[in-house]
């Protein structure tokens, strides 16, 4: 406990909070302890300040180029041995609220009527069938997605995968004014609580009993990824490298483009590899952090972690990850959520590395503009894998900007009779009351801006190349 460094006022705040939390009967003792410890660390101001002059660019030993990895074993028996050490864990706590969906984001349909979760299950089923191995799938839910996910996974009951679900912690939101837990003020429904970020994956694995069960089965590594990242598939070369080199932790990073300038990056700092997030960067260095010259890579949040190392560190309460304060407002009350991120744990593991992977391993769907990309002919679906279409010669994806009319999945789907062909598209900007017919082809730079009050329909079979369209007369 960091109580020694607290001022008298903060120590009193913490004591009052402790008694209030003790009276909350919705959550477990582990959750109460975890929450109070997090708040104590926050109050003690132990935030780690990075000394800019000590930051070093990591060498190829620390951030290993993917091309330099040894090939995966050719022998199916060796491959089976390797895969039997593996568990796949998808972070499934997020709701599709940004895209206008209720329920877990992982059940949004991505391609051919299949959801994120369907694709993940098909991928692992194929691995298990091909090699006769047993790679289980774990879904870390939040209290927001738990009930829905349990219903959804029933449909996979006849598949050849063990599917386990467990919940990440449920912490009370903190009232900023008097530092009391919101639920103790009568706000006991979902609005009183929050899931404390994916850094919570490590203690939650342990507290749920899943970690010990997996170790008993002889599992050694967990591959953790966001459920909405379609590029995060099991990679035998990476697993093989980690097992051979006994790396306790590996973060997949990929080269930054101008779209990723805010993403966390890996640095060497005082002899350890660690994640540097934009929030830790002193104001005068933010532009330098965003430049793609000095910090060339960013964190994809695809992580490979040794299970025994997780157990050891969680039991020693050694994972003191940077705290991310997230201020919110609930019914006019200012509250604070303290969160942590799983990538920040890298500095606590021995022999931790990054691997600089191809961009194809980072294909997240955060908005309908991403959905347009993955539903289009830019990608094809093979055995549950969403694979880049070779017909596109430009290695970069087109940049797509859709107006608010397209923000919700339902609206997005109704405005496209079919998803246009975008193999030769460089950029697309669409705003206003625009509707697409079937079989539309977009090439080069296309801008479609409907004037206010005008319904603009792009006819079936239209081919638009390097065009700006503001009304029917421009078609």
């Amino acid at each position: 406990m960091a109580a020694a460094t607290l001022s008298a006022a903060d120590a009193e705040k913490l004591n009052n909070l402790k008694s209030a939390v003790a009276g909350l009967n919705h959550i477990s003792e582990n959750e109460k302890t975890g929450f109070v410890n997090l708040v104590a660390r926050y109050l003690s101001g132990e935030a780690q300040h990075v000394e800019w002059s000590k930051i070093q660019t990591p060498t190829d030993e620390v951030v290993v180029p993917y091309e330099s990895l040894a090939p995966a074993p050719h022998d199916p028996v060796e491959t089976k041995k390797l895969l039997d050490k593996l568990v796949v864990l998808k972070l499934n706590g997020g709701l599709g609220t940004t895209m206008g969906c209720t329920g877990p984001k992982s059940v949004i349909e991505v391609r051919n009527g299949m959801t994120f979760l369907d694709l993940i299950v098909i991928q692992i089923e194929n691995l298990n069938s091909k090699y006769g191995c047993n790679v289980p799938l774990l879904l870390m839910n939040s209290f927001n997605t738990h009930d829905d996910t349990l219903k959804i996974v029933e449909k996979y009951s006849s598949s050849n995968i063990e599917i386990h679900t467990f919940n990440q912690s449920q912490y009370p939101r903190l009232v900023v004014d008097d530092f009391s837990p919101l639920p103790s003020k009568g706000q006991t429904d979902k609005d009183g609580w929050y899931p404390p970020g994916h850094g919570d994956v490590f203690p939650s694995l342990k507290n749920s009993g899943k970690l010990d069960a997996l170790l008993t089965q002889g599992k050694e590594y967990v591959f953790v990824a966001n459920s909405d990242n379609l590029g995060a598939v099991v990679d035998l070369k990476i697993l093989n490298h980690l097992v051979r080199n006994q790396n306790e932790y590996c973060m997949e990073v990929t080269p930054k483009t101008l779209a990723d300038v805010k993403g966390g990056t890996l640095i060497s700092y005082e002899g350890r590899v660690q994640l540097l997030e934009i929030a830790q960067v002193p104001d005068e260095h933010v532009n330098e952090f965003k430049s793609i010259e000095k910090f060339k890579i960013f964190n994809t949040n695809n992580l490979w972690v040794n299970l025994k190392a997780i157990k050891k560190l969680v039991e020693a309460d050694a994972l003191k990850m940077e705290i991310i304060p997230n201020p919110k407002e609930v019914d006019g009350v200012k509250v604070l959520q303290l969160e942590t991120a799983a990538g920040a744990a890298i500095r606590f593991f021995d022999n931790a590395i990054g691997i600089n992977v191809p961009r194809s391993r980072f294909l997240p769907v955060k908005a309908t503009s991403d959905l347009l990309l993955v539903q289009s002919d830019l990608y094809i679906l093979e055995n549950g894998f969403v694979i880049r279409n070779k017909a596109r010669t430009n290695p970069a994806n087109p940049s797509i900007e859709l107006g608010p009319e397209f923000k919700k999945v339902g609206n997005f789907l109704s405005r496209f009779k079919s998803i246009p062909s975008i193999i030769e598209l460089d950029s697309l900007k669409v705003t206003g009351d625009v509707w697409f017919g079937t079989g539309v082809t977009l090439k080069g730079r296309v801008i479609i801006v409907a004037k206010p009050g005008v319904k603009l329909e792009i006819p079936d079979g239209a081919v638009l190349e390097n065009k700006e369209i503001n009304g029917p007369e421009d078609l």
Side-chain angles (χ1 to χ4, degrees), residues 112-294:
N112 310 17
M114 286 193 258
T115 64
F116 289 105
L117 211 46
D118 292 338
L119 295 175
I120 291 163
V121 168
I122 293 168
Q123 290 163 13
I124 300 177
E125 272 183 338
N126 285 332
L127 273 181
N128 286 346
S129 309
K130 185 172 175 182
Y131 296 104
C133 54
N134 169 26
V135 176
L137 170 63
L138 271 73
L139 299 171
M140 181 169 86
N141 301 319
S142 64
F143 59 87
N144 288 315
T145 59
H146 173 72
D147 295 347
D148 287 338
T149 303
L150 285 189
K151 288 190 202 105
I152 292 155
V153 297
E154 280 173 11
K155 75 173 189 180
Y156 308 120
S157 56
S158 59
S159 75
N160 66 354
I161 315 185
E162 281 179 38
I163 300 182
H164 303 265
T165 60
F166 67 101
N167 271 16
Q168 71 180 110
S169 305
Q170 175 172 338
Y171 284 176
R173 286 176 158 159
L174 270 177
V175 179
V176 173
D177 275 353
D178 61 359
F179 234 65
S180 62
L182 190 57
S184 59
K185 303 205 150 180
Q187 184 86 40
T188 50
D189 63 359
K190 282 190 172 177
D191 284 345
W193 308 89
Y194 74 98
H198 47 61
D200 184 57
V201 63
F202 304 118
S204 294
L205 254 180
K206 172 82 179 65
N207 295 340
S208 64
K210 297 293 178 194
L211 182 60
D212 287 334
L214 293 166
L215 286 166
T216 308
Q217 286 181 21
K219 302 297 178 193
E220 291 178 25
Y221 278 90
V222 59
F223 172 43
V224 179
N226 294 350
S227 63
D228 66 6
N229 179 4
L230 294 169
V233 299
V234 171
D235 187 300
L236 286 164
K237 280 172 67 168
I238 294 178
L239 179 60
N240 185 42
H241 183 88
L242 303 180
V243 171
R244 285 170 55 170
N245 294 283
Q246 297 183 317
N247 302 105
E248 286 188 351
Y249 187 110
C250 163
M251 174 187 289
E252 292 184 38
V253 292
T254 198
K256 246 192 215 184
T257 66
L258 292 171
D260 317 303
V261 292
K262 290 183 176 166
T265 191
L266 284 184
I267 55 171
S268 291
Y269 191 79
E270 298 184 330
R272 310 267 303 172
V273 59
Q274 77 180 52
L275 181 68
L276 176 65
E277 297 274 18
I278 194 162
Q280 296 165 279
V281 176
D283 291 345
E284 65 272 24
H285 293 291
V286 165
N287 286 338
E288 197 180 338
F289 175 83
K290 286 181 174 179
S291 95
I292 53 184
E293 269 65 63
K294 177 164 182 174

Side-chain angles (χ1 to χ4, degrees), residues 35 56 89 118 121 126 171 186 207 225 250 369 393 445 467 472:
F35 174 67
Q56 293 179 312
L89 191 159
D118 292 338
V121 168
N126 285 332
Y171 284 176
N207 295 340
C250 163
S369 52
T393 47
R445 300 171 69 86
K467 283 193 94 138

